Amino acid sequence: MNKILVFGGTSEGRIISETLSANGFQVYVSVATDYGSMVLNKNTPVHILNGRLDLQAMTQLCTENNFDLIIDATHPFAKEVSKNIKECAAETNIPLVRFNRIVDLQDNEKIIYTEDVQHCKDLLLNTTGKILLTTGSKDLHTFCQNQSIRERLIVRVLPSIESLNICYENQLEGKQIIAMQGPFSESMNINQIEEYGISVLVTKESGKTGGTDSKISAALKKHIKCIVIKNSSLQASSNLNDENYFQCETLEKLFNYIEKKFSKTISVNKNITVNLIGIGMGNKNTMTLEAMEKINEADLIFGSERIISGIDSKAKKQPLYLAKDIIPLLKNLPNAGCNIKNVCVLFSGDSGFFSGTEKLKQELNKLDFVNVNILPGISSMSYLAAKTGISYQDAKVISLHGIEEGIWKPKLSNALMNNEKIFLLTSGLKNTIEAAKLILDYNNQTKADYKIAIGFQLSYKTEKVEILKPEECLLLKEEGLYSTFVFKA
């Protein structure tokens, strides 16, 4: 049996360790702290080595155990550890794989990139207001040495005894400490920025897995400064050219490398199923039986607040539906110690009809531990067609939802000239009336006789379906969800 040593303590290290162990490798996992071992699945047969190792201890460990491969999946800023791992691998002549997180630098005047922690501290001296420090506990002493900075700090650290002790050793008060396991969604970061009145956010360049993207986007949305400490370890190691050293930025590439090296197929366990579900118009009676079954089996449900408020389920509910908010939370599930296997993301109408399904599916497919399943629903177009007896097979479809008038109005004008039947997916009362005005003008100019089938609050108790002239639509007053068929009488 091939023996592999993984230096972990990160979410990637956990996935690597559990996947290799499940595929018949004898896996040893070295983590610096007790918290690092807590995120590992207790049912995974791996050998956990707790405690920080210096170069001598690493070399002794590798010499005694005769490993076939070493994998460095430590945090991007654990530079000294990575340096020791590389020297250990060279001294023991054991092949080494370094897993690097993907980092995407953004160009914005509100974002300040700095080379190291010391430079970051110097920059903070020229700022005012509270500072949200999300760089962990390791470098706290550098920031806390200066009283004017220390008194303004709100620090976010891991919920471990070691992290909390470091906070107190650096004279931080309890009200300055947020002890939580990340990564965090953009909305969670925004909430903390607002709650603590933050003026400056400080983060490390830890990649998407480390939540850097959601921190930056939250800072930009709240119009506050964001200082990013760059990860120089990537640049430092980019010139390596050693046949015993392999770098990769995706788990897929890492497992492909190991497959070739040991001539063995690796099966990645996709242990979380995410169902992207179209739930119809909103009334549960318009939901498919399969959708109801998946929702009943769910451990966690995402969707807009309007949608999930009407769902009767014991599952935990999160009022989120955008990929940028959902993905960070899903990435953290394997580390959270919770037994969540079935996740549902609910979309109104049909999953393939002007839905957020496609974008979310693309992001979910990048997660190695997720299996994606898509379930269709009843779209507003098919529902309204059934209610009015108007077939939609030859209808031109135009979405007004979230689209600027300067874009959808020319499309509608062109459709009126070339189609006898048009379906409009509207945002609500305002653009329903604006569309009616345009249709009325077209009727007056061309002597056409387009009418409008209005569907209001479809499937709800307040549902109304009626055929109106464009001028009659201008008298509509009720706010709510509108769908319309435009057709020649």
Side-chain angles (χ1 to χ4, degrees), residues 129-159:
K130 290 187 178 180
I131 304 161
L132 179 57
L133 190 69
T134 67
T135 57
S137 60
K138 180 183 175 184
D139 299 305
L140 264 182
H141 64 283
T142 302
F143 297 102
C144 291
Q145 285 173 350
N146 185 285
Q147 183 178 352
S148 66
I149 292 177
R150 184 179 68 245
E151 291 177 348
R152 294 190 286 136
L153 288 178
I154 301 295
V155 302
R156 198 163 71 191
V157 298
L158 288 172

Side-chain angles (χ1 to χ4, degrees), residues 137 140 157-172 177:
S137 60
L140 264 182
V157 298
L158 288 172
S160 67
I161 298 299
E162 181 183 24
S163 295
L164 290 172
N165 284 339
I166 293 174
C167 290
Y168 294 130
E169 288 168 6
N170 283 278
Q171 303 178 50
L172 291 172
I177 304 168

Side-chain angles (χ1 to χ4, degrees), residues 30 70 75 179 190 226 344 355 364 385:
S30 174
I70 299 173
H75 191 276
I190 288 175
C226 182
C344 290
S355 167
L364 288 171

Side-chain angles (χ1 to χ4, degrees), residues 79 95 153 159 190 192 250 260 268 288 300 366 420 439:
K79 299 175 186 177
L153 288 178
I190 288 175
Q192 292 183 351
T250 68
K260 292 177 181 177
V268 179
T288 67
L300 175 63
K366 298 177 184 178
E420 294 191 355
I439 296 165

Side-chain angles (χ1 to χ4, degrees), residues 279-289 291-292 295 310-312 459-460:
I279 64 164
M281 299 300 92
N283 186 321
K284 65 180 181 180
N285 292 330
T286 65
M287 202 183 304
T288 67
L289 291 176
M292 293 179 67
I295 291 171
I311 297 296
D312 183 17
S459 86
Y460 291 92

